[in-house]
């Protein structure tokens, strides 16, 4: 999906990643991330958000919750949105950024609320009155009043399976009436997901019906007397999307894939300001009788939209076969090279670049710094949850 873009915009990353694998510094099934590019992308996003008077909460699930990359981003975007409790704890442990929005996709479990609320997050997202009541009780025990964002239920067909729930717009008044009576919370705004999606042909960010619902929900809450309401509109946040969000009155955005220059827009438009910042490195494990090479898996995300793999030893670009999401990605097949072309060998490096969510993979994450100054160096190896690993 992103291989053409990364070769055009960040060829040094491709070369360094291949060299690290060829000398055994990284194993197959490794994402190699350009820390300099991630930091530069964060700076671009922060500058555009400041110009538009938007606040950013950065997201790192797609980066494998990596502490080095968290610190690089936090130098420019000082607050985060944590999608679940595990991510919140990892972010908090770095000490690099403050909690912005917790419970953003996965609500905070009731028994974890005292711990996380003690960090004084700017906002906690709640899906219903029962969760708001739990937040209120925990906050009151701490002597706090916690700001909460109301998660608005997605419009029909505009949400994702596994992310069900939220307050329906026609139930907002009843929700607000119940929550306004709680002593430990204050309704501070609304959120929904996804609020933007990229056009499948042009890649351009477009509002979803969820954004319309969120705007209407904020208007309804304002009519009840709530003031200074936040409107957080996550998904497909990038430099190109920020003006669109500002036009709709959004106050907060949550960049994730833009930090690595890997939104769907970046796949079709290599001239976007964010620079592609990662590649996936694996190797040929074996070859089928018909000549198709199999590469080691572990990091092939089901929504990756992979098209081809580069084999640096021969310079070949081989198409990558589709694989059903219901199967474990022990291997992934490439097409056989054309007649007369060099045959892949066991151990050959393969470099790919595609959309991922590293935190749900089995992959290693290798962070490289110094690419922007021509002095690349491997600064650390981590697992997919951000835990440091011993060097290979």
């Amino acid at each position: 999906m992103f291989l053409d873009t990364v070769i055009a915009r960040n060829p040094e990353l491709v070369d360094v990643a291949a060299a690290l694998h060829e000398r055994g510094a990284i194993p197959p099934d490794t994402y190699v991330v350009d820390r300099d590019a991630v930091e530069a992308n964060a700076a671009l996003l922060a500058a555009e958000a400041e110009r538009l008077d938007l606040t950013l909460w950065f997201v790192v699930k797609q980066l494998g919750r990596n502490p080095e990359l968290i610190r690089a981003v936090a130098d420019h975007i000082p607050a985060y949105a944590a999608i679940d409790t595990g991510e919140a704890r990892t972010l908090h442990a770095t000490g690099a950024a403050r909690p912005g929005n917790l419970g953003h996709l996965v609500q905070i479990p009731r028994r974890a609320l005292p711990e996380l609320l003690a960090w004084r997050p700017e906002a906690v997202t709640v899906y219903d009155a029962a969760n708001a009541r739990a937040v209120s009780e925990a906050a009151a025990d701490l002597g706090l009043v916690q700001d909460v964002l109301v998660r608005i239920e997605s419009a029909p067909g505009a949400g994702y399976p596994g992310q069900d729930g939220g307050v329906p717009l026609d139930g907002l008044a009843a929700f607000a009436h119940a929550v306004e009576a709680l002593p430990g919370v204050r309704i501070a705004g609304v959120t929904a997901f996804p609020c933007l999606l990229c056009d499948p042909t042009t890649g351009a960010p477009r509002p979803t019906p969820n954004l319309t619902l969120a705007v209407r929900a904020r208007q309804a809450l304002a009519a009840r007397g709530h003031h200074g309401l936040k409107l957080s509109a996550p998904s497909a946040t990038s430099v190109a999307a920020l003006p669109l969000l500002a036009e709709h009155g959004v106050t907060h955005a949550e960049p994730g894939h833009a930090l690595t220059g890997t939104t769907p827009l970046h796949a079709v438009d290599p001239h976007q300001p964010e620079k592609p910042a990662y590649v996936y490195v694996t190797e040929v494990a074996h070859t089928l009788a018909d000549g198709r090479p199999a590469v080691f898996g572990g990091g092939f995300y089901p929504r990756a939209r992979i098209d081809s793999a580069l084999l640096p030893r021969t310079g070949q670009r081989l198409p990558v076969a589709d694989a059903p999401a219901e199967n474990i990605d022990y291997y992934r097949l490439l097409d056989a090279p054309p007649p007369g072309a060099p045959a892949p060998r066991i151990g050959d490096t393969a470099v790919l670049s595609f959309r991922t969510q590293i935190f749900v993979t089995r992959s290693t994450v290798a962070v490289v710094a110094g690419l922007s100054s021509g002095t690349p160096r491997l600064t650390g190896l981590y697992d997919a949850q951000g835990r440091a690993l011993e060097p290979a």
Side-chain angles (χ1 to χ4, degrees):
M1 181 176 181
F2 299 108
L3 191 53
D4 287 334
T5 302
V6 75
I7 289 172
R9 293 285 308 280
N10 201 349
E12 299 84 2
L13 174 59
V14 177
D15 293 342
V16 166
L20 287 171
H21 176 257
E22 286 163 4
R23 71 169 188 253
I26 61 173
D29 182 25
T30 294
Y31 287 94
V32 182
V33 188
D34 178 350
R35 192 177 77 189
D36 296 6
V38 170
E39 182 168 359
N41 291 340
L44 287 169
L45 287 156
E48 181 66 357
E50 183 177 18
R51 184 184 75 83
L52 296 166
D53 196 26
L54 291 169
T55 297
L56 299 181
W57 291 324
F58 70 88
V59 179
V60 293
K61 60 187 175 70
Q62 73 289 342
L63 295 174
R65 301 168 172 174
N66 188 276
E68 279 195 61
L69 302 175
I70 289 168
R71 288 189 285 269
V73 172
D75 283 345
H76 303 277
I77 304 173
Y80 58 80
I83 66 134
D84 61 20
T85 301
E87 184 161 294
R89 288 177 175 138
T90 299
L91 284 153
H92 181 70
T94 68
R98 65 177 185 269
N101 182 14
L102 305 185
H104 143 89
L105 288 181
V106 181
Q107 291 174 100
I108 302 170
R110 186 185 190 103
R111 293 168 184 81
L113 282 167
E115 174 193 1
L116 272 63
L117 296 187
W119 306 343
R120 303 301 300 270
E122 294 175 44
V124 169
T125 294
V126 295
Y127 281 51
D128 58 19
N131 274 274
R133 191 171 298 110
V135 173
S136 176
E137 291 169 358
D141 287 345
L142 293 167
L144 308 173
V145 176
Q146 176 62 55
D147 281 358
V148 296
L149 300 183
V150 185
R151 165 66 179 256
I152 301 302
E153 185 179 53
S154 295
Y160 294 125
Q163 297 184 27
D164 309 284
V167 177
L169 190 61
D170 61 8
L172 183 60
F175 169 89
H177 178 75
V179 174
E180 287 161 356
L182 299 175
V185 294
R186 183 182 77 90
I187 295 175
V190 299
T191 188
F193 188 85
C195 289
L196 297 181
L197 288 177
C198 292
D199 183 276
T201 301
T202 67
R206 297 282 184 262
T208 73
N210 298 333
L211 180 55
T212 301
L213 290 177
V215 170
R216 291 173 59 193
R218 185 170 65 166
Q219 292 169 344
L221 291 172
R224 292 181 65 88
H226 296 277
H227 302 294
L229 291 166
K230 298 176 174 67
L231 173 53
S232 181
S235 186
T237 306
S238 65
V239 169
L242 291 177
L244 177 62
L245 294 176
E247 289 172 13
H248 283 78
V250 170
T251 63
H252 290 67
E254 301 181 10
H257 278 286
L259 297 169
T260 48
T262 53
T263 76
L265 175 58
H266 295 84
V268 298
D269 183 358
H271 304 295
Q272 288 300 305
E274 298 96 336
K275 189 175 186 178
Y278 69 74
V279 293
Y280 181 69
V281 177
T282 186
E283 71 179 59
V284 175
H286 57 274
T287 301
L288 276 61
D290 61 8
R292 288 180 293 165
V295 297
F296 290 106
F300 290 108
Y301 179 60
R303 296 169 60 206
R305 292 173 56 192
I306 307 168
D307 48 24
S308 65
L310 171 67
L311 277 60
R313 183 182 66 82
T314 63
Q316 292 175 320
R317 288 277 294 273
L318 297 181
V320 179
D322 289 335
E326 61 266 25
N327 292 98
I328 299 170
D329 64 329
Y330 296 115
Y331 303 102
R332 196 68 178 265
L333 287 174
L334 311 184
D335 284 3
R345 300 172 185 165
I346 290 174
D348 273 357
T349 302
V351 179
L352 305 90
S353 189
F354 47 82
R355 187 172 178 85
T356 189
Q357 295 284 347
I358 293 175
F359 82 114
V360 298
T361 71
R362 307 188 300 279
S363 303
T364 299
V365 177
V367 179
V368 174
L371 271 171
S372 62
S373 60
T375 56
R377 62 192 185 281
L378 178 64
T379 59
L381 292 176
Y382 303 85
D383 70 10
Q385 301 301 320
R387 294 177 288 251
L389 302 173
E390 293 296 323

